[in-house]
Amino acid sequence: MWNWLKNIFDHQQRQLKRLKPIVAEINGWEAKIKALSNAKLKEKTAEFRSRLAQGEREELILPEAFAVVREAARRTLQMRHYDVQLMAGIVLHEGKIAEQKTGEGKTLSATLALYLNALTGQGAHLVTVNDYLARRDCEWMGPIFHLLGLTVGCLNHEQAYLFQPPAAKEKETINPAHLGRGDFLVPVTRQEAYRADITYGTNNEFGFDYLRDNMVYDLSEMVQTCPRGDYGVHHFAIVDEVDFLLIDQARTPLIISIPQEESNELYLKFARLVPQLLPEYYEIDEKRKTVHLTELGIAKIEKLLGVKNLYQNFALVHHLEQAIRAYKLFQRDRDYIVQDNQVIIVDEFTGRLMPGRRYAEGLHQAIEAKEGVPIQKESKTLATITFQNYFRLYQKLAGMTGTAITEAEEFQKIYNLEVVVIPTHRPVIRRDYADRIYKNQRAKYAAIIAEIKEKYQQQQPVLIGTTSVEKNELISKLLKRHHIPHQVLNAKNHQREAEIIARAGEKGAVTVATNLAGRGTDIKLGPGVKELGGLHVIGTERHEARRIDLQLRGRSGRQGDPGSSRFYVALDDDLMRIFGGEQIARLMERFNFPEDQPIEHPLISKQIAAAQKRVEGFNFDLRKHLVEYDDVINKQREIIYQLRRQILTNQGIEERIARFLEEKGAPLKTKYEEKMASFSPAERKALPRLIYLQTLDQLWMDHIDLLDELRRGVQLRGYAQRDPLVEFKNEAFQTFKTLMERLDQEAITRLLRIEVISAPTLDRPQITNLRAEQEKISYTIPSSETNGTAASSPTQPFRKSEKQKLGRNDPCWCGSGKKYKKCHGRG
Ligand code: ADP
Ligand code: MG
C-alpha cells in the first residue's frame, strides 16, 4: 500500500519536473508575443498552419502557440493563463487527464490545447456535461479564438450555433453571469457547427450525432463525420468533468430506438398480481437491483396463472420479474417521478430528471402499470454505443476534472489515459472536518439542521450537498420549519441554477443542491465572507466513491480561499446498510448510543472507509465486466459502420454482387442480369446501394437485439463451469458471421423481387430522416444503468421470446446455421 502510494507520488513529481522547462519556454516567448499587434497575432495562426503543413512537429510549435493563446486571452478576457494552467494545457495536448481542482480555471486551460490541435483543420471538440455549459464555455472562450482567426461552434440538443461577437462588443468585458444566454451565438446547421475549427458540445450530442451519421441514406445527411471531407476522422477531444462521463456514466450506453407494437395486457395483469405476493415468494438483491422467484413463489404463481411450467415461457417470467422490480426496487420520488401521466427517471448519480429516457426491457412499462399511467410501447433499438466506445474513436483523447487520481488505475486500464495532478495556483487552506456519525436518519438530519442554523446565524454561507431530489426536498422542508431562507437546486434548469449557485458564497446564503446541480459553476465568496471562514460545505451522506465526496468538498476553498467541509453519516444510510457489512449491524445493536450524540468510534470510521472501498471495487468490476462484453459488440459495430460507409459511397457493391453470383452459378446470374436490364441507368446505380443499406441496417438492428439476448443467455452457463465471456465471444462471432453471409443473400434476393420501380416511392426505412422523426425516436438508457449488472446477473437471463423476431425460415439465432424452425424454434 505504502509502496503504491509512493510510486504514484514519485511519478507525479517526475511529471511536474518534466513540465517545468516547457512552461519556462512558453514564458520566454511572452515579451515578444506581447509586442505584436492584434493583426500580427492573428497572422500567427496562418504561420503555424503552414509550418505544420511543412511537417514541423506540434511539440516544436507548442511553446510559441501557447504564448499566443495566453496573449489573446489577456487581451480579450483580461485573464492571463497561470503557469499551472500552462502545465494543464501541455498535459491535455499530450492526450492525458489533467486533474485540476475546482475553480482553478479548467475552461481557460483547455483553450491552449484546443487551439494547437485545431490548427491542422481536422476539428477539436470540447465535451461538456450539459447544454448550458457548452453555450457558456463557447461564449466565454470564443473571443480568444476569434481574435486568432478560428471559428467556434456549439452543439445544443435543439440547435447548433457559431460564436459571433457583435463587432462593438468585441473589446468589452462580458458579465460572466450573462454567458450561456446565447447573446453571442448565431444559429447554424449542425454541419456548420462541426465544420468550425473548435466545437463545444455535450457528450450526448456528440454521441448521438455519431450514431445518426451511421444511419443516413445519403452522405449529405451526415453532420459530424463528413463536413470537412476528412471522412470518418475523430481528431481530438477534451472531455470536461471526465470522471463523471467515463466513470459515473460509463454504464450508460446511448441508445436510439423506435416504439414497437406490443400488448400491454401482461404489464397490467402483473401490476395487479405483485401486491398480492408474499415476501417469501421472491428474493431481492438490493446491490444488483435484481429479483428472482423462489421455489415457493414459482409454485404459487403457476397456480395463480394456471400454467404448468412457468419457465417454459420466458416472456412470462421476464414480465413478472420486472413487475416485482418495479414494486420492490424502484421507488417513486427517489428513482423516478410521475409527472403529466408519465414516469420520468431520476438519474441515480445526479438527481437530475431524465425526460424522454426510459428504462429498457419492459421495466419502464412495468412501472407505468404500477403507477396506473398509460403504458408506452416497447421500443426497438436502432443503434447504440457506450460513451466509452464513442470516445475511443478519437485519435487523441484528453480529459480534465477536479477529481481523477483516485480512479487513476481505471483510467489507465480501461481508457489508456494517464492522470497528471496539476498543482493549485494557490495552496488549498480549506479545513475538512472529521465525519459526524449518528445512529439513524432522524438524529442525523436534526444535527445537520442545527449546524446550518448556527452558520446561518453567523451569516457564514453554507452549501448542503445531497444525493437526490427527494433528500433536497426533505432538507428544504426542515429548513422551512426553522425559518431559514434557502435555495434548492435539483439540476433541472442549468442556466438558472448556475446563476443561483454563483451566489452561494454570499453572506447568509443557504444552498441545497444535488451532486450535479450547478456543476461547472464557480462559487466566489461575497464581501466579508472570508472573515467568516469562507464557504462551509455539508455532505448529508458519504457517497459511493471517495471521489464524489471530494468533489463536494471542492466546491469550497477555491483559489486559496478559506473554507471548510463536513460530512454527516448515519448507520442506516444506504451505503452503510447495503455495503457496511455485518459489523455495522452488530455495532448498532451492541451499543446503546443516545440518539442525539455523534458517535466517535475508530471502528466505525474504519467501516465507512471500508464500505466505500467495497463499493468502489464493486462498481469498478461491474464496469470492467461491461467493457469486456462491450468490446465484442464494438468491434462488430466498427466493421458494420465501415462497410456501411463503403456502400454509402458506392464502393464495392458491384464486386460483392459479382462474387455472390459467381458462387451461385448461372441461373441466378441470368435472372439478375435480366432484372438489371429492366432498370433505367439511374436506377441501376441507385437501387443496389439503397437495398444494401436497408438490408444491412435491418440485419444489424436485429443483431444488436440478438447479442443482448445472448449476453443474458450465456450467464446461465456460468453454472456449467463455462466462462460466460468466452461463450459470448464465440457465439457473437458465429452470429456475426451469419449476418455477413446473409447480407448478400438477402440484398440480392430483395433486388430480384423489386417489381415496379419508381425510385421516390421506394420504402426507405423509418429511420432515414432522424431529425424529422424526433417525435418517435427516444434516447434511452437501458435498465442495466440502474441495476448496474445486466451483463453479470445470472438471475435475469430471460427476455422476450426470440420467436417474435425470427421468421421460421430464418437462420437460428444461436448461430448453428440451421433454420430456426429446425433448431431452437422446433416444437
Ligand atoms: P473550473 O472549471 O476549474 O472549476 P472555471 O474554468 O470555471 O474553473 O474558472 C473558475 C474561475 O477562475 C472563473 O471565474 C475564472 O474567471 C477564473 N480564472 C481562471 N483562470 C484565471 C486566470 N488565469 N486569471 C484570472 N482568473 C481566472
Ligand atoms: Mg469547469
Side-chain angles (χ1 to χ4, degrees):
M1 182 67 183
W2 174 242
N3 257 341
W4 174 76
L5 271 178
K6 192 169 173 313
N7 275 342
I8 287 195
F9 184 76
D10 288 349
H11 181 72
Q12 293 295 338
Q13 289 304 103
R14 276 198 301 277
Q15 290 289 333
L16 298 185
K17 223 164 136 187
R18 184 178 67 82
L19 294 173
K20 283 211 170 108
I22 311 177
V23 170
E25 213 181 319
I26 302 166
N27 284 328
W29 279 100
E30 188 159 12
K32 205 168 161 200
I33 300 291
K34 226 173 180 161
L36 300 177
S37 67
N38 277 1
K40 288 279 174 209
L41 199 63
K42 192 180 203 158
E43 276 172 25
K44 279 287 169 191
T45 299
E47 182 201 314
F48 294 143
R49 283 192 158 147
S50 77
R51 279 163 62 185
L52 282 172
Q54 282 160 25
E56 193 168 334
R57 282 185 20 241
E58 280 173 345
E59 282 61 35
L60 292 178
I61 291 177
L62 185 147
E64 191 182 354
F66 278 23
V68 164
V69 178
R70 182 194 249 182
E71 180 56 22
R74 205 185 57 82
R75 288 186 197 179
T76 52
L77 308 181
Q78 285 76 49
M79 288 198 285
R80 177 184 167 274
H81 295 74
Y82 305 129
D83 283 2
V84 287
Q85 287 173 313
L86 299 180
M87 286 186 186
I90 301 165
V91 168
L92 293 173
H93 172 72
E94 291 170 341
K96 298 173 183 163
I97 292 176
E99 180 181 286
Q100 268 186 299
K101 300 267 167 313
T102 314
E104 285 291 303
K106 288 185 274 296
T107 326
L108 189 63
S109 304
T111 55
L112 302 160
L114 285 173
Y115 174 74
L116 180 54
N117 286 276
L119 289 173
T120 55
Q122 289 171 293
H125 297 167
L126 191 125
V127 186
T128 65
V129 295
N130 64 49
D131 278 354
Y132 157 71
L133 288 172
R135 290 196 305 274
R136 185 200 70 175
D137 292 358
C138 175
E139 290 194 307
W140 192 7
M141 298 297 124
I144 302 178
F145 300 120
H146 184 74
L147 182 65
L148 298 176
L150 296 192
T151 51
V152 194
C154 173
L155 297 170
N156 271 195
H157 182 62
E158 308 296 339
Q159 179 66 53
Y161 306 93
L162 275 182
F163 173 76
Q164 200 180 65
K169 288 199 177 170
E170 215 164 321
K171 289 202 180 64
E172 272 176 40
T173 323
I174 299 157
N175 179 353
H178 293 172
L179 290 166
R181 294 200 306 202
D183 296 352
F184 308 102
L185 299 175
V186 284
V188 295
T189 64
R190 290 181 99 69
Q191 273 110 332
E192 282 174 284
Y194 276 109
R195 218 178 288 141
D197 294 302
I198 292 160
T199 309
Y200 286 81
T202 64
N203 50 312
N204 286 349
E205 294 314 306
F206 282 114
F208 280 133
D209 279 340
Y210 173 70
L211 290 179
R212 284 187 291 246
D213 271 4
N214 283 290
M215 293 160 82
V216 299
Y217 273 67
D218 196 281
L219 276 182
S220 66
E221 293 171 48
M222 287 196 159
V223 299
Q224 184 179 82
T225 14
C226 220
R228 223 177 295 264
D230 50 0
Y231 189 77
V233 172
H234 286 77
H235 176 55
F236 176 63
I238 300 178
V239 180
D240 194 8
E241 315 275 5
V242 64
D243 56 329
F244 171 69
L245 264 183
L246 295 191
I247 292 186
D248 298 333
Q249 297 280 57
R251 286 191 266 142
T252 313
L254 292 165
I255 295 179
I256 299 184
S257 59
I258 51 163
Q260 233 182 2
E261 305 304 310
E262 216 190 59
S263 145
N264 294 329
E265 246 170 71
L266 268 184
Y267 292 114
L268 292 170
K269 187 170 179 173
F270 285 140
R272 283 193 297 270
L273 186 78
V274 171
Q276 303 169 30
L277 300 181
L278 300 176
E280 52 266 37
Y281 291 167
Y282 49 84
E283 273 164 14
I284 293 183
D285 183 339
E286 261 193 87
K287 261 188 225 178
R288 296 193 158 80
K289 289 220 171 191
T290 55
V291 301
H292 61 265
L293 298 169
T294 60
E295 288 299 319
L296 205 64
I298 293 169
K300 176 73 184 176
I301 286 156
E302 283 170 352
K303 218 158 113 199
L304 276 175
L305 297 179
V307 296
K308 240 178 148 184
N309 183 350
L310 188 60
Y311 277 79
Q312 252 169 13
N313 189 339
F314 293 168
L316 272 188
V317 179
H318 174 73
H319 273 84
L320 186 59
E321 287 183 349
Q322 293 295 38
I324 300 174
R325 290 178 72 207
Y327 270 91
K328 302 295 171 187
L329 286 166
F330 289 80
Q331 239 179 57
R332 185 166 170 167
D333 293 331
R334 184 190 71 187
D335 302 292
Y336 63 90
I337 63 160
V338 178
Q339 205 175 58
D340 302 330
N341 260 334
Q342 284 185 13
V343 171
I344 300 174
I345 298 176
V346 176
D347 186 279
E348 73 173 308
F349 293 107
T350 62
R352 197 163 38 146
L353 293 183
M354 314 288 266
R357 288 196 158 189
R358 293 173 63 78
Y359 297 118
E361 297 144 29
L363 177 63
H364 213 94
Q365 287 88 333
I367 294 175
E368 284 166 337
K370 162 188 161 189
E371 296 294 346
V373 302
I375 298 172
Q376 292 178 27
K377 299 268 187 251
E378 290 252 6
S379 52
K380 177 161 182 67
T381 303
L382 302 183
T384 169
I385 193 170
T386 56
F387 286 129
Q388 181 202 28
N389 280 323
Y390 173 72
F391 287 117
R392 274 182 179 176
L393 292 169
Y394 285 88
Q395 290 170 340
K396 185 159 71 176
L397 182 65
M400 48 190 199
T401 174
T403 46
I405 194 71
T406 51
E407 255 73 22
E409 184 192 352
E410 182 161 348
F411 282 122
Q412 187 68 61
K413 279 194 180 148
I414 298 189
Y415 298 94
N416 197 20
L417 281 170
E418 189 184 327
V419 178
V420 180
V421 180
I422 308 295
T424 53
H425 179 53
R426 295 203 180 85
V428 180
I429 58 166
R430 185 187 63 237
R431 286 196 61 174
D432 297 327
Y433 292 105
D435 294 357
R436 284 201 176 133
I437 303 158
Y438 288 85
K439 196 169 177 183
N440 57 35
Q441 299 296 315
R442 194 173 35 167
K444 181 179 83 172
Y445 281 109
I448 290 173
I449 298 296
E451 182 167 23
I452 299 173
K453 201 168 178 176
E454 185 194 318
K455 300 288 180 195
Y456 175 66
Q457 277 160 358
Q458 296 160 1
Q459 289 291 287
Q460 182 180 1
V462 198
L463 176 72
I464 301 107
T466 75
T467 51
S468 69
V469 177
E470 187 197 23
K471 281 169 188 157
N472 265 2
E473 274 160 16
L474 174 67
I475 302 248
S476 175
K477 214 168 80 189
L478 294 172
L479 288 174
K480 273 188 198 137
R481 214 178 280 164
H482 287 80
H483 307 292
I484 300 175
H486 60 278
Q487 299 277 0
V488 182
L489 308 182
N490 293 334
K492 278 180 187 160
N493 180 336
H494 297 297
Q495 172 110 37
R496 200 179 62 83
E497 295 188 8
E499 283 162 21
I500 295 172
I501 205 156
R503 295 201 306 272
E506 288 174 7
K507 256 189 176 171
V510 176
T511 314
V512 188
T514 54
N515 283 339
L516 244 210
R519 194 165 177 174
T521 305
D522 200 30
I523 304 181
K524 289 204 168 79
L525 299 184
V529 170
K530 267 191 189 154
E531 292 72 20
L532 294 169
L535 177 69
H536 182 60
V537 165
I538 293 179
T540 54
E541 66 190 282
R542 285 296 203 101
H543 297 95
E544 290 199 348
R546 287 165 296 170
R547 184 171 45 83
I548 303 180
D549 292 346
L550 288 175
Q551 259 160 29
L552 180 57
R553 292 195 203 272
R555 292 273 180 105
S556 157
R558 51 164 300 279
Q559 296 274 346
D561 282 344
S564 52
S565 74
R566 185 195 301 283
F567 274 85
Y568 282 79
V569 175
L571 295 182
D572 57 354
D573 282 349
D574 286 347
L575 176 73
M576 303 304 287
R577 215 166 38 78
I578 304 176
F579 291 93
E582 288 292 302
Q583 292 228 27
I584 290 286
R586 251 183 282 136
L587 264 178
M588 284 174 73
E589 281 168 21
R590 188 136 54 93
F591 292 98
N592 204 5
F593 306 109
E595 245 185 56
D596 57 352
Q597 287 300 312
I599 307 163
E600 296 268 344
H601 196 295
L603 194 61
I604 295 184
S605 307
K606 237 166 87 187
Q607 282 299 316
I608 294 174
Q612 239 171 359
K613 277 243 173 65
R614 258 199 296 277
V615 192
E616 282 172 17
F618 181 78
N619 285 332
F620 182 19
D621 286 346
L622 283 185
R623 290 190 292 264
K624 223 167 48 191
H625 197 73
L626 194 72
V627 165
E628 288 165 350
Y629 281 85
D630 209 45
D631 275 347
V632 178
I633 301 166
N634 198 45
K635 287 212 187 76
Q636 299 188 349
R637 178 179 37 237
E638 273 171 17
I639 296 171
I640 293 286
Y641 281 3
Q642 197 189 353
L643 177 60
R644 202 177 186 286
R645 283 199 293 266
Q646 284 171 358
I647 298 173
L648 206 56
T649 48
N650 265 324
Q651 293 170 39
I653 303 179
E654 277 171 28
E655 290 84 343
R656 286 190 82 98
I657 294 175
R659 197 169 349 110
F660 181 81
L661 294 177
E662 202 58 54
E663 283 166 22
K664 287 291 152 191
L668 184 55
K669 207 173 168 198
T670 327
K671 229 164 102 194
Y672 183 81
E673 276 159 5
E674 275 169 15
K675 193 83 207 174
M676 283 294 133
S678 72
F679 298 152
S680 73
E683 286 162 354
R684 263 202 295 281
K685 195 164 168 341
L687 276 175
R689 191 181 73 131
L690 188 62
I691 299 293
Y692 256 90
L693 283 178
Q694 275 184 357
T695 312
L696 182 66
D697 287 349
Q698 201 183 345
L699 288 174
W700 173 241
M701 285 167 205
D702 287 345
H703 186 73
I704 297 175
D705 282 350
L706 216 66
L707 288 183
D708 221 40
E709 273 172 33
L710 204 61
R711 181 144 87 174
R712 278 155 226 289
V714 293
Q715 299 307 328
L716 277 183
R717 301 179 202 174
Y719 298 134
Q721 314 280 309
R722 283 188 278 178
D723 180 351
L725 180 62
V726 174
E727 298 279 304
F728 178 71
K729 280 184 180 165
N730 287 341
E731 298 207 5
F733 175 71
Q734 287 304 328
T735 50
F736 189 70
K737 238 173 70 183
T738 316
L739 182 162
M740 289 306 224
E741 284 159 14
R742 277 184 65 191
L743 174 63
D744 295 305
Q745 169 85 48
E746 287 266 324
I748 290 163
T749 313
R750 284 184 197 193
L751 268 171
L752 287 175
R753 266 197 226 132
I754 295 177
E755 281 306 334
V756 188
I757 305 114
S758 71
T761 62
L762 262 179
D763 256 1
R764 294 175 96 202
Q766 59 280 60
I767 45 142
T768 49
N769 187 353
L770 285 162
R771 286 267 149 206
E773 297 268 339
Q774 215 58 282
E775 296 287 282
K776 265 194 253 155
I777 297 208
S778 52
Y779 298 89
T780 320
I781 35 170
S783 57
S784 60
E785 148 81 343
T786 46
N787 71 23
T789 176
S792 63
S793 152
T795 53
Q796 203 202 12
F798 307 117
R799 263 198 98 202
K800 277 169 298 176
S801 159
E802 60 272 11
K803 280 182 217 120
Q804 294 164 354
K805 282 171 220 129
L806 282 184
R808 286 174 45 72
N809 286 317
D810 287 331
C812 189
W813 55 272
C814 72
S816 63
K818 289 187 212 155
K819 285 186 175 168
Y820 176 64
K821 66 181 178 196
K822 294 247 168 81
C823 189
H824 279 74
R826 207 164 21 172

